[in-house]
């Protein structure tokens, strides 16, 4: 076990290193940070000077090395744009994103799982078909469009919900949360929905597909033969047997959502990491991007570790034998 | 129990039941106009050819026919009122509580993700108002009653950690736990060794007698029928051909099918060179004309590469050990293991049929898996034609030998890929080992094989789930034979087969053995069959071989007391008026 | 407690007034900090921290500083703060070094008088001083922010997140790119014309969201309004759009320096070296349609490379007429009867509808047989490619320019000066247009103090440029501020939003 | 003796006249296809869209990619049934004066190409790696999974930029050319999608490989790759198909976002997604048709493809027939 963890840890480090390497190989193609940092009138000489000071003229490898050496000390440098410690910036934005992602994933599951089970049980039912279709429309429209439409309808026309931002937030030991204030909760609704739609569709369809298989197995038949309660058969026995792929996807989705809520955050001006990141990309803010990618990589490593653990938790057949 | 103990009003009655499985390839009528009745405190035996519709009737009564199957005529009455028309909820309350069913396929009947304990407890709590802990202790008790060793630890284990027979017993426990009024037991003892079988049967008998439970016992084991049933219904091709008190049916049956069926029951007391066949056939078919191996495709000899003949044993097992962890934990001290195979050694000479009997859970299947290389033994080695397989590193090298072995799996339900057509399942080894030149030839051979195991070539187009237990078992036999192996491992090959098909298949195996020197490791708990088939037999218990002896000697003078115990428990059909002791041709 | 809530498409990244020479940031800080001068609603230069100034001799300017002015932290404003600010703005890492000539000497006459001594006469010395903000020496020293926050700095600087100006508002809360809050500075030296207590600023990047926020009444003001949404905002009751001319000029440039174009099918020669080809391209463009369809009327087609507001004699200039036939003819003359292919670089997130303009131009040029491969990119990649740092890697491009000094000289130097490959001479003359005559004139204009003469020379230079089609000016894009009806404000055509003039009821 | 179930069969297969149709009909797929109208409808829609988009040059009234032919003067015309709409532009025109109908036809060609190609690419890559990782386990599994982790950390946008940059370096000026652009898009999207398949398949394989039919295959002596592809793959296809059919939509939309970031197809040859994105700017100003029509086209495509996917999945599972 100890061995298992340490092994995973070493692997994680490797992952991070590689991510950093690729990241740095990539930054060249994003553009020239200096142009983004100075006014248009700034002279060529000044720009070159700046470029030199930032070490942008060094080879990728050198820059990469420098970054690693710093990262090893958990220093991620100063943002070009904000002239502020990247770690601080990200720490500031992290809560917003995490709250949004978690809420939306929970939403997706809370709606998706029952829907999935239902559509599987009433395979050819009218309502089931409607669910399936509607959920599809949800995914075939781009996020930004959905977001804007929601804003237009609930924000502008009905004026029920705020159109942008996070509303009032309370700061609990450096963690800002919008979950405790009414305006914060209101502000959360639209972005969460926008973000949830895609995963919801995925969950619904996955669960449906898997349920259809499991419901035909002999052990479900035997559960029926024992006269178990229908709910127990569907959820305790059948659903549990569909979980492995679902866990996988949900895990990935959670990661993806945390990482790339970019569009949603932009549309709703949600002050999260995604927004920070997309701005960093447009302004080639290398320190932010580098640190951010590392963070994301860490997220994924952890999430996937958990997912793998869950496999074992869910399916005894996978547990170590002899 | 005699006819006198019978009440008048049947607790469960089936009237004119007809069950159909419509499919695009035509309509399968699994049961036609079937009438059955079982009274409280009575055991009704149902025998009949494999695929005759026995399980179907069970399912129909429970209202659990797999779609598209449905009852197209007739009715099912429980204590006088119809239940086949009941709504889902009402039916739910009846299932398990009033009518319970023991399914034929124990290995796939258990939810793989729940411990057997949880499954039992849930069932109890659903039907009887009993507290969790009480239900739990009841569960342990039940497991004990059905003869699971160390139930209090086993109760927390998952199905895959149980042996075939053990799972079957779990299934039985599950069906009994809600104290139903009627039990439909579909081949409840197929995978059980005689001692456990005896234990289970007496348990069932007790239930019936003491609690006035009515029971329908589907089986193909005439011994069991003779032992426990009050009345017998004989089915053939979805129809009831004969019905009556057990003595009468077994003693002097009216219907020719019944008669020939009984005459075909393998004899425990004497050895014949062939199994007596069932002459009664409605539609003529290939299986009857005994195939001439020398000319038949199966007979064409394959060269098995470098095989060191020279007298030595073909297969040799040395000091095999394998234990499974049943509870894994951080601290090695906390881990629990089952010593499934404990220092097992045996030799099998070329052309020999080596029998392996022993109590359920004693490690037979595990040995089979070790030999085929599915499990790595923790100690010991397997030598095939003098070559140590466990030592061989490269997969390719192992394959050269593995190719020469085939295995018939104990569980016909899970060992067939649900997504492949039967035709492809059987053809796969042929295609893979390039045993034929042309596709057409392969097809021909496959259809032929299917015929020999008693399935029409139309079976090829279907998927495994469309078949009855016995039919599936035959499919896996056909698959095993398809490679024309040199060494065949049969793990309970005929456990789900009625005597007629059994005879037919075992004869085929015998032919192969005699004509081609096919070597076999033959695992079975059916002692008569063992006696007919095997040259030497090893008796297993708790992972150890307790006695190995030539068959005849074992049956005449068993040394180890466990062997003796087994032989004593062997069910007999003394009541049957034996036809003169000559082997039917 | 009246609060003004407004939004802009970007945010103020650094609060250090010298760290970024960019319109919004400076405008934003202009409410907190003040310069010696300031500009009124019509951009006229007004006294601010300097009560008055005179040119005592051609190379010596005297400024009389306002007395009794206090910084937000209570310190007095004195001459030494000016001296300090001068040093700081010229120091390493400052992005506003162009605000004052590098060789300027400063002499403190007394606590409230300073002299600026120049090496050569400079008529427009103080032209950009409205955005050269004066900082407090003591404050800077005590928070070691003496040096401007250089982008390359390895550690944060106090001045980046904190302000201490003399202006009408004090910054009380600032989360970069999320939210900034200002409160009124009670003891401001001047008479406030606004009636605000508090200002909350939120950057909203997404156009649609910004519009929605205004329509839903969550904010009182926002800019820019995407041109296509102007109608909608006006149609909505409670909001309307203030439009006006902007100073930035959008134009096309052509590589006239290389002997063979980087992106073209013409081998061995550079068609753009031929004035007829340039003129043909010019005349192929139907600027009016672009105005009506893409800019929805919110643009001023321009014959000059700078806004008429900045050069009073601009009305002497006429655009070359839109005339595809003539254009074809010119091409034929120049030896390209059936046109040629050229690659065009275009930003897609920098100027108003920039990508759409480029597309329209592509199809217009297609009409005269010039096939254009459009390469539209976000500004980061775009500028990295076309500017000096990318080695002017372009053959045909769209760019926008605002002369910070509001003066033609800036345009002539930056966009028309002969440059070498490193960009010395005319750093933003991407196409490398070069004409000695223009260079001479530019030099003279830089030092001529007499407005009359100066304007003559400017006019002459512009005429040459116009005739030779150094660039293809398109238009000045318009300002569009979305305003809810309950506030009034002044719209300055340098697109800077001053709370100073905001009244909310 | 004959199989008992034969007794009950009235063997229609025997009676049907032999012939191509009959032989086809033998095949379950075709059979169940012919017997589910909804599926046939879906197939029809998909077919129509694919064909019409491929045949765009022939069908479409205009060629929106031919810059000389489009005129800014007739930009933003509404569809014909709204006044000032004209028959010459039945679905109206976009902000550049391109005929919406033609643009949608041409655009869906790009979208469909990119969408299908990239999803197919991702699917193949993901499935193969997932099977390998899941079946072999051990260090190979660890390795592949870590690769996946790395992959996951990069949004499609960045990957696209990377590939795009490399492509530019490789092909230099001709990057503007659609072929390279397509390559970049497909690679980028494919690369950022494969992990989903890989991990899902891997997970399911973990479960499947312990089942007895796999052991049976091993006993036959099948080499791992056959076992994996012939036996396990069909049993884990379910979730894969679900993801694939949904990701088709995602791919098409991602393509739009990428085009916006300047990688991928140039704005002068817009794809469905790009059109929607452009139209997005005109939602408030009332030129709804620029977004709505491409949107509808996209929804139709995705819907029908998903229906086909569901059907395919069901027939892959014999028990559901
Ligand atoms: N799901 C199904 N679809 C189509 N046919 C089926 C299905 N299930 C069973 N059958 C057919 O119904 C007939 C009776 O099956 P059943 O399982 O009742 O036989 P059985 O008497 O239980 O035989 P066995 O003793 O081998 O279990 C068989 O011929 C089988 O092919
Ligand atoms: N995967 C496993 N994990 C844990 N324990 C196992 C596993 N497989 C088998 N066992 C245990 O090993 C022992 C032997 O099992 P095996 O299947 O060989 O019995 P068997 O002789 O075949 O019995 P039966 O005749 O009932 O099939 C049993 O106690 C069983 O519980
Ligand atoms: Mg059966
Ligand atoms: Mg066994």
């Amino acid at each position: 076990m100890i061995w298992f963890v340490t092994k995973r840890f070493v692997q994680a480090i490797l992952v991070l290193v590689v991510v950093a390497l690729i990241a740095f190989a990539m930054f060249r193609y994003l553009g020239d940070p200096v142009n983004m940092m100075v006014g248009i009138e700034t002279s060529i000489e000044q720009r070159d000077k700046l470029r030199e000071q930032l070490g942008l003229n060094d080879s990728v490898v050198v820059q990469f090395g420098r970054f690693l050496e710093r990262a090893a000390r958990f220093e991620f440098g100063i943002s070009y744009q904000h002239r502020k410690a990247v770690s601080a910036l990200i720490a500031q934005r992290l809560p917003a994103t995490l709250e949004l992602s978690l809420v939306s994933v929970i939403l997706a599951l809370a709606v998706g799982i029952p829907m999935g089970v239902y559509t599987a049980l009433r395979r050819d039912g009218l309502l089931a078909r409607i669910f399936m279709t509607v959920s599809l429309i949800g995914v075939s429209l781009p996020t930004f469009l959905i977001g804007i439409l929601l804003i237009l309808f609930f924000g502008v026309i009905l004026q029920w919900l705020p159109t942008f931002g996070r509303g009032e937030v309370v700061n609990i030991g450096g963690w800002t949360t919008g979950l405790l204030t009414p305006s914060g909760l209101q502000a959360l609704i639209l972005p969460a929905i926008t973000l949830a739609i895609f995963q919801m569709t995925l969950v619904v369809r996955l669960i449906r597909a898997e349920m259809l298989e499991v419901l035909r197995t002999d052990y479900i038949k035997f559960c029926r033969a024992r006269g178990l309660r229908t709910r127990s058969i569907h959820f305790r026995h059948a659903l549990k047997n569909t979980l492995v792929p679902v866990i996988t996807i949900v895990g990935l989705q959670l990661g993806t959502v945390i990482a790339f809520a970019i569009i949603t955050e932009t549309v709703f001006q949600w002050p999260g990491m995604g927004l920070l990141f997309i701005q960093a990309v447009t302004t080639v803010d290398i320190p932010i991007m580098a640190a951010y990618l590392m963070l994301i990589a860490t997220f994924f490593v952890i999430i996937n570790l958990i997912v793998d653990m869950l496999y074992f938790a869910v399916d005894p057949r996978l547990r170590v034998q002899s | 129990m005699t006819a006198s103990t019978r009440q008048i009003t049947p607790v469960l009655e089936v009237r004119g039941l007809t069950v159909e499985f419509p499919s695009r390839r035509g309509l399968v009528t699994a049961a036609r106009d079937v009438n059955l009745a079982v009274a409280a405190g009575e055991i009704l035996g149902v025998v009949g050819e494999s695929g005759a519709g026995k399980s179907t009737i069970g399912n129909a009564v429970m209202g659990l026919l797999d779609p598209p199957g449905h009852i197209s005529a007739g009715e099912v009455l429980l204590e006088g009122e119809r239940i086949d028309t009941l709504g889902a909820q009402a039916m739910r309350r009846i299932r398990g509580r009033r009518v319970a069913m023991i399914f034929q396929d124990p290995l796939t009947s258990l939810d793989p993700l729940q411990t057997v304990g949880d499954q039992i407890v849930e069932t109890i709590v659903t039907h009887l108002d009993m507290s969790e802990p009480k239900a739990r202790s009841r569960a342990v008790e039940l497991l004990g009653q059905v003869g699971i060793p160390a139930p209090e630890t086993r109760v927390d284990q998952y199905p895959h950690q149980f042996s075939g027979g053990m799972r079957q017993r779990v299934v039985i426990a599950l069906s009994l736990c809600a104290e139903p009024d009627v039990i439909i037991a579909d081949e409840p003892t197929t995978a059980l060794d005689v001692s456990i079988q005896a234990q289970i049967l007496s348990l069932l008998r007790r239930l019936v007698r003491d609690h006035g439970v009515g029971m329908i016992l589907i089986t193909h084991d005439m011994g069991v029928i003779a032992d426990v049933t009050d009345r017998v219904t004989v089915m053939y091709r979805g129809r009831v051909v004969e019905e009556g008190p057990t003595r009468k049916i077994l003693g002097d049956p009216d219907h020719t099918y019944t008669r020939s069926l009984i005459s075909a029951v393998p004899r425990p007391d004497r050895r014949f060179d062939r199994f007596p066949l069932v002459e009664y056939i409605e539609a003529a078919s290939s299986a009857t004309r005994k195939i001439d191996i020398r000319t038949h495709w199966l007979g064409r000899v394959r060269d098995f590469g470098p095989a060191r003949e020279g007298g030595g044993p073909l297969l040799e097992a040395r000091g095999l050990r394998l234990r499974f962890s049943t509870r894994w934990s951080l601290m090695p001290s906390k881990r629990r293991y089952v010593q499934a195979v404990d220092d097992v050694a045996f030799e099998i000479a070329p052309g020999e049929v080596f029998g392996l009997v022993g109590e359920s859970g004693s490690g037979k299947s595990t040995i089979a898996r070790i030999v085929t290389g599915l499990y790595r033994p923790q100690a010991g080695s397997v030598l095939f034609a003098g070559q140590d397989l466990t030592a061989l590193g490269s997969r390719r090298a192992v394959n050269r030998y593995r190719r020469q072995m085939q295995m018939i799996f104990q569980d016909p339900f899970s060992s067939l890929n649900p997504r492949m057509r039967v035709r492809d399942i059987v053809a796969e080894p042929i295609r893979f080992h390039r045993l034929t030149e042309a596709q057409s030839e392969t097809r021909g051979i496959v259809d032929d094989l299917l015929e020999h195991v008693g399935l029409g070539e139309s079976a090829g187009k279907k998927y495994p789930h469309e078949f009855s237990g016995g039919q599936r078992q035959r499919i896996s036999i056909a698959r095993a034979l398809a490679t024309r192996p040199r060494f065949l491992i049969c793990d309970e090959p005929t456990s789900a087969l009625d005597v007629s098909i059994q005879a037919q298949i075992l004869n085929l195996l015998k032919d192969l053995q005699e004509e081609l020197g096919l070597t076999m490791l033959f695992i079975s708990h059916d002692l008569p069959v063992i006696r007919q088939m095997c040259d030497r037999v090893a008796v297993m218990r708790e992972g150890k071989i307790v006695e190995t002896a030539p068959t005849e000697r074992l049956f005449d003078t068993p040394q180890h007391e466990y062997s003796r115990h087994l032989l004593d428990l062997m069910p007999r059909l003394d009541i049957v008026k034996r036809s003169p002791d000559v082997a039917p041709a | 407690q009246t609060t003004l809530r407004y939004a802009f498409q970007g945010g103020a990244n650094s609060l250090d007034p010298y760290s970024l020479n960019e319109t919004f940031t400076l405008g934003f800080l202009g409410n907190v900090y003040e310069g010696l001068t300031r500009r009124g609603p019509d951009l006229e230069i007004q006294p601010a921290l300097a009560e008055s100034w005179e040119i005592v001799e051609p190379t010596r300017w005297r400024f009389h500083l306002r007395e009794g002015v206090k910084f937000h932290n209570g310190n007095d404003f004195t001459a030494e703060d000016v001296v300090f600010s001068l040093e700081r703005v010229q120091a390493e890492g400052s992005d506003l070094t162009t605000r004052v000539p590098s060789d300027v000497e400063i002499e403190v006459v007394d606590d409230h008088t300073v002299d600026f001594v120049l090496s050569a006469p400079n008529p427009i010395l103080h032209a950009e001083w409205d955005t050269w903000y004066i900082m407090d020496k003591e404050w800077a020293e005590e928070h070691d922010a003496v040096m401007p926050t250089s982008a390359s700095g390895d550690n944060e600087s106090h001045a980046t997140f904190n302000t201490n100006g003399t202006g009408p508002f004090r910054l009380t809360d600032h989360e970069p790119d999320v939210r900034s809050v200002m409160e009124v500075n009670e003891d401001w030296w001047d008479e406030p014309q606004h009636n605000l207590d508090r200002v909350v600023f939120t950057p909203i990047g997404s156009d649609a969201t910004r519009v929605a926020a205004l329509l839903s009444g969550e904010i009182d003001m926002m800019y820019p309004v995407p041109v296509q949404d102007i109608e909608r905002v006006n149609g909505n009751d409670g909001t309307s759009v203030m439009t006006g001319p902007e100073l930035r000029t959008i134009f096309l440039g052509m590589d006239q320096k290389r002997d063979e174009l980087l992106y073209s099918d013409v081998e061995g020669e550079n068609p753009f070296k031929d004035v007829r080809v340039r003129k043909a391209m010019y005349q192929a463009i139907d600027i009016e349609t672009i105005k009506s369809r893409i800019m929805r009327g919110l643009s001023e087609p321009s014959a000059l490379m700078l806004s008429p507001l900045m050069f009073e004699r601009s009305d002497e200039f006429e655009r070359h007429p839109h005339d595809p036939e003539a254009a074809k003819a010119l091409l034929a003359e120049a030896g390209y009867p059936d046109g040629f292919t050229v690659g065009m670089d275009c930003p897609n997130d920098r100027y108003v509808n920039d990508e759409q303009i480029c597309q329209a131009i592509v199809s217009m040029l297609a009409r005269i047989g010039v096939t254009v491969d459009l390469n539209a990119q976000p500004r980061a990649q775009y500028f990295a490619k076309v500017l000096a740092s990318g080695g002017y890697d372009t053959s045909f491009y769209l760019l926008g320019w605002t002369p910070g000094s509001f003066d033609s000289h800036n345009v002539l130097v930056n966009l028309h000066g002969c440059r070498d490959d490193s960009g010395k001479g005319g750093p933003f003359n991407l196409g490398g247009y070069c004409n000695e005559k223009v260079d001479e004139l530019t030099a003279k204009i830089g030092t001529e103090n007499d407005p009359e003469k100066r304007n003559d020379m400017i006019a002459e230079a512009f005429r040459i440029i116009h005739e030779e089609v150094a660039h293809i000016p398109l238009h000045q894009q318009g300002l569009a501020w979305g305003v809810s009806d309950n506030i009034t404000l002044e719209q300055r055509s340098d697109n800077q939003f001053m709370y100073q003039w905001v009244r909310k009821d | 003796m004959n199989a008992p179930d034969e007794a009950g069969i009235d063997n229609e297969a025997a009676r049907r006249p032999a012939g191509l149709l009959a032989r086809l009909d033998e095949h379950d797929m075709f059979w169940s296809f012919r017997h589910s109208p909804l599926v046939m409808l879906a197939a029809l829609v998909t077919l129509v869209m694919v064909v019409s988009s491929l045949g765009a040059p022939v069908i479409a009234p205009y060629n929106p990619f031919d810059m000389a032919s489009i005129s800014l003067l007739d930009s933003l015309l509404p569809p014909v049934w709204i006044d000032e709409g004209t028959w010459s532009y039945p679905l109206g025109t976009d902000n550049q004066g391109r005929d919406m109908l033609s643009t949608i036809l041409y655009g869906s060609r790009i979208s469909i190409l990119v969408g299908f190609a990239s999803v197919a690419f991702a699917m193949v890559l993901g499935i193969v790696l997932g099977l390998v990782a899941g079946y072999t386990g051990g260090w190979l599994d660890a390795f592949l999974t870590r690769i996946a982790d790395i992959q996951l950390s990069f949004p499609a946008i960045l990957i696209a930029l990377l590939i795009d940059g490399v492509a530019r370096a490789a092909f230099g000026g001709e990057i503007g050319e659609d072929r390279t652009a397509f390559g970049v898009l497909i690679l980028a999207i494919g690369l950022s999608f494969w992990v989903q398949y890989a991990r899902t398949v891997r997970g399911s394989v973990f479960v499947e490989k312990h089942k007895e039919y796999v052991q049976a295959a091993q006993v036959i002596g099948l080499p791992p790759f056959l076992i994996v592809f012939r036996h396990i793959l069909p049993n884990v296809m379910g979730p894969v198909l679900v993801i694939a059919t949904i990701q088709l939509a995602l791919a098409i939309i991602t393509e739009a976002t990428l085009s916006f970031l300047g990688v991928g197809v140039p704005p002068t040859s817009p794809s469905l997604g790009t059109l929607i994105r452009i139209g997005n700017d005109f939602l408030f100003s009332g030129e709804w048709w620029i977004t709505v029509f491409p949107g509808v086209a996209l929804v139709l495509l995705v819907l029908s493809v998903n229906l086909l996917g569901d059907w395919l999945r069901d027939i892959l599972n014999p028990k559901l027939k």
Side-chain angles (χ1 to χ4, degrees), chain A residues 321, chain B residues 154 157 160-166 169 191-193 324-326 338-341 358-367 369 375 410 491-492 523 525:
Chain A
Q321 292 208 354
Chain B
R154 287 293 194 171
Q157 289 184 14
H160 71 278
Q161 296 174 306
F162 286 72
S163 82
M166 293 166 134
R169 285 175 269 165
L192 300 181
D193 63 275
F324 294 99
S325 71
T326 52
V338 180
Q339 191 67 39
V341 174
E359 80 183 321
S360 152
S362 58
K364 305 185 291 297
S365 301
T366 309
I367 290 180
R369 285 193 160 77
Y375 291 169
Q410 176 174 15
D491 192 352
E492 311 280 5
I523 301 172
H525 57 267

Side-chain angles (χ1 to χ4, degrees), chain A residues 23-44:
Chain A
F24 274 88
M26 201 152 47
F27 293 149
R28 313 188 271 134
Y29 303 116
L30 290 178
D32 176 4
V34 171
N35 292 326
M36 298 295 114
M37 295 162 63
V38 298
I40 192 147
E41 288 182 38
T42 314
S43 74
I44 309 296

